[in-house]
Amino acid sequence: MHRAWIAFVRTGDPNHPGMPQWQPYDAQTRTTMRFDSVVTALDDLAGPSRRLHEARRGQ
């Protein structure tokens, strides 16, 4: 994560060697990077929670 922050500060892009490609966030894919024991790019990581929240707001 530290190297991603450094790359982002230097270039505006958090990608660096040793990390999976992190695509820019957009409303269609909602790609986020999960920094855990295995670093992984995931689409719509909070999807189930977000959809539940949106459904409850619509009531």
Side-chain angles (χ1 to χ4, degrees):
M1 181 185 275
H2 188 245
R3 289 179 64 197
W5 276 113
I6 290 171
F8 182 73
V9 169
R10 287 183 178 159
T11 68
D13 182 352
N15 290 293
H16 61 82
M19 184 174 92
Q21 183 67 25
W22 190 351
Q23 298 298 323
Y25 185 90
D26 67 41
Q28 292 296 316
T29 60
R30 301 177 187 271
T31 303
T32 55
M33 188 63 67
R34 181 177 180 177
F35 291 93
D36 204 338
S37 58
V38 175
V39 179
T40 310
L42 299 169
D43 289 345
D44 206 6
L45 178 63
S49 298
R50 182 180 46 77
R51 286 188 290 278
L52 178 61
H53 178 71
E54 289 171 353
R56 293 182 129 200
R57 279 192 336 189
Q59 290 181 352

